[in-house]
Amino acid sequence: MAQRRIVIIVHLYNHLCFNRGFTVHYKEKRTKASFPWDLLGLYIPHCLLSASNESKTINMRVSSFASYVLGATIYAHLRPVFGQPISDSVNPRNLKATLTGGKVKPKVFIIDMFASEAAIWYNIPEFNVLERNITVPGFSPLFPEAHCTQDGSICQIVTGEAEINAASSMSALVYSNIFDLTTTYFLIAGIAGVNPKVATLGDVTFARYAVQVALQYEFDAREIPADFPTGYVPQGTVAPDQYPTSIYGTEVFEVNTALRTLAVGFAKNATLNDTTATQEMRSLYANNSAFGPGASSGPSVRECDTATSDVYFSGTLLSEAFENTTSLFTNGTGVYCTTQQEDNATLEVLMRATLAKLADFSRIIVMRTASDFDRPYDGESAAENLFGDAPGYHPAVENIYLAGVRVVEGIVKGWNQTFEKGVKADNYIGDIFGSLGGVPDFGPGN
């Protein structure tokens, strides 16, 4: 009876969400141990509170609190159906995995930020990360488990959104003593806003630089000095075009470009998702020659950089300001194309973990898929851009899997020949301080 109840509930969810691209395929033979309890309560409200396939990403995020409350209620009522979920908790002794000293040793760890990014990896034919669910102290209350394949070679964390959640969850992971991450490749796999000067909806982007663009002084737009093009001013300076002199260390991270090249090669073998609605949105940017890439006919795989900001911004002025910040902070090398809320926090944790000999910073891939434009097309307002339709959302989520699975499989299949020993970086990697050794090719004096 309990089994039947949960199947009926999930079938109802499928009926409600079938046309929204978030169908949950629940197999009746799945055991208690493998059911994703931490995500179950988020699937149904995620569907119910999303307006349509064309829902704006921001609307889904605005409704997230209500979604989580409803999810917790559903979770509380369904959990007693089966009793306590079975997981490997802190001691993964039941894992049939690649172990070192009793620890799980993944080859790839997928890093997602919220439920939709996470769920796109479930019920796929290539591998099953829901075979083992490991409770990790310090993970997000919404996503308390790491999910792994039976042999532990591929795992997933869902950090929660924005910088504090990302840093907290990633710190809990690397210092948990559950995993041996010294040879693990980390694939940041999430959606992002996109700069139409560089890329377009549905694109899969791989970054060299992650820039914390909002770590600056800020004036209210109504009080900007007359000769300032923006209200953002680098810390320790007195004008927007000056390199910051008060440096915290998280402003810029640079990752392994040789590894990025391999990841791009794998991703280019994917056939990316696209829709008629997404194509129509792109066409609206065709009237501005500066938006040539944004008006392109379809999604592709691109190499360009990402900006981190807790603030979900919209508009030409802010977007151009952060374009300039990306270029300034990377000494003219970085090209801003995507905007997200977590990556510098994640990279800072992995940099510190590398210093502690718990991880390897040279094994990080930053992949973001483009869900919505960061600025309006000609004739549209910044408010309309932010609150209007975002047909690129679902293709972007789908393309996380379509491109990402090629990267994951490429690493796992090429493990013995290429990846186990590591991919030697031919560029500087690390933070602005040179914490991992070497001399940054960005920062004051470069």
Side-chain angles (χ1 to χ4, degrees):
M1 179 64 69
Q3 186 84 349
R4 192 171 301 160
R5 285 168 63 187
I6 190 65
V7 171
I8 290 171
I9 290 170
V10 175
H11 282 330
L12 175 61
Y13 168 80
N14 284 340
H15 176 72
L16 291 171
C17 296
F18 182 77
N19 291 322
R20 298 185 182 180
F22 286 98
T23 303
V24 174
H25 303 283
Y26 175 69
K27 299 179 181 178
E28 294 190 29
K29 66 181 181 181
R30 177 172 284 165
T31 65
K32 291 187 290 184
S34 65
F35 197 83
W37 289 100
D38 57 331
L39 287 169
L40 173 63
L42 298 179
Y43 285 135
I44 298 174
H46 186 278
C47 165
L48 296 177
L49 292 174
S50 300
S52 69
N53 266 346
E54 290 75 35
S55 297
K56 186 66 179 175
T57 306
I58 185 65
N59 291 339
M60 300 180 74
R61 294 195 176 190
V62 167
S63 68
S64 62
F65 177 74
S67 176
Y68 295 151
V69 171
L70 180 55
T73 303
I74 294 171
Y75 175 86
H77 282 83
L78 290 180
R79 187 168 177 146
V81 171
F82 290 117
Q84 294 299 310
I86 299 172
S87 70
D88 294 291
S89 191
V90 179
N91 181 11
R93 60 185 179 277
N94 297 321
L95 278 171
K96 296 178 181 177
T98 303
L99 299 174
T100 55
K103 297 180 182 180
V104 186
K105 190 171 185 178
K107 294 175 181 176
V108 180
F109 225 115
I110 300 165
I111 302 172
D112 295 308
M113 279 53 71
F114 64 101
S116 298
E117 294 173 350
I120 200 66
W121 295 98
Y122 306 151
N123 197 41
I124 62 175
E126 293 84 1
F127 50 82
N128 182 8
V129 293
L130 295 178
E131 288 177 322
R132 292 291 180 179
N133 305 298
I134 306 171
T135 300
V136 180
F139 269 22
S140 166
L142 300 175
F143 310 106
E145 296 176 332
H147 304 293
C148 296
T149 56
Q150 181 69 33
D151 67 356
S153 62
I154 303 169
C155 292
Q156 179 201 50
I157 178 176
V158 190
T159 65
E161 294 168 274
E163 292 175 88
I164 292 175
N165 278 323
S168 299
S169 295
M170 288 301 298
S171 293
L173 172 67
V174 299
Y175 300 115
S176 68
N177 205 35
I178 297 172
F179 299 93
D180 180 346
L181 304 172
T182 54
T183 60
T184 298
Y185 287 84
F186 294 93
L187 174 63
I188 297 175
I191 64 170
V194 66
N195 174 5
K197 294 181 180 179
V198 179
T200 196
L201 301 178
D203 274 359
V204 180
T205 70
F206 291 85
R208 172 182 179 180
Y209 296 106
V211 181
Q212 195 176 15
V213 293
L215 189 56
Q216 303 188 65
Y217 300 146
E218 181 186 6
F219 289 101
D220 186 288
R222 293 160 294 187
E223 299 177 315
I224 296 173
D227 57 343
F228 279 18
T230 176
Y232 280 91
V233 179
Q235 294 187 139
T237 74
V238 295
D241 60 350
Q242 297 174 354
Y243 205 94
T245 60
S246 177
I247 295 173
Y248 292 176
T250 58
E251 288 84 354
V252 183
F253 290 97
E254 184 173 355
V255 299
N256 187 341
T257 56
L259 176 60
R260 178 177 72 158
T261 298
L262 293 175
V264 167
F266 294 141
K268 284 185 175 180
N269 293 319
T271 300
L272 301 178
N273 182 268
D274 199 15
T275 64
T276 300
T278 305
Q279 294 166 3
E280 292 172 352
M281 176 61 75
R282 292 192 197 101
S283 69
L284 297 173
Y285 285 77
N287 292 332
N288 189 328
S289 60
F291 297 156
S296 64
S297 59
S300 61
V301 177
R302 298 178 186 266
E303 298 180 10
C304 52
D305 301 306
T306 193
T308 300
S309 169
D310 269 338
V311 176
Y312 193 124
F313 61 87
S314 172
T316 300
L317 296 179
L318 283 174
S319 297
E320 289 182 346
F322 292 145
E323 281 180 44
N324 294 333
T325 299
T326 299
S327 179
L328 176 68
F329 283 17
T330 61
N331 297 97
T333 307
V335 177
Y336 158 68
C337 76
T338 62
T339 168
Q340 38 66 38
Q341 296 176 298
E342 298 87 12
D343 290 355
N344 282 60
T346 296
L347 294 173
E348 174 68 14
V349 172
L350 292 175
M351 192 274 296
R352 295 187 189 190
T354 301
L355 289 173
K357 303 189 185 306
L358 297 174
D360 183 348
F361 197 86
S362 71
R363 298 178 182 234
I364 300 171
I365 300 165
V366 181
M367 184 187 81
R368 289 283 179 166
T369 61
S371 62
D372 57 286
F373 287 116
D374 65 354
R375 69 199 76 190
Y377 55 83
D378 290 355
E380 183 187 39
S381 70
E384 289 169 332
N385 176 64
L386 180 62
F387 300 125
D389 291 343
Y393 178 83
H394 292 312
V397 172
E398 184 73 20
N399 288 341
I400 291 174
Y401 157 67
L402 293 172
V405 75
R406 298 286 186 156
V407 176
V408 173
E409 287 193 311
I411 293 172
V412 173
K413 290 178 180 178
W415 188 257
N416 293 336
Q417 182 178 1
T418 302
F419 292 97
E420 182 176 18
K421 64 180 180 290
V423 177
K424 182 176 175 57
D426 53 17
N427 62 304
Y428 170 80
I429 61 170
D431 64 357
I432 196 170
F433 290 149
S435 298
L436 300 177
V439 178
D441 47 11
F442 54 87
N446 290 297

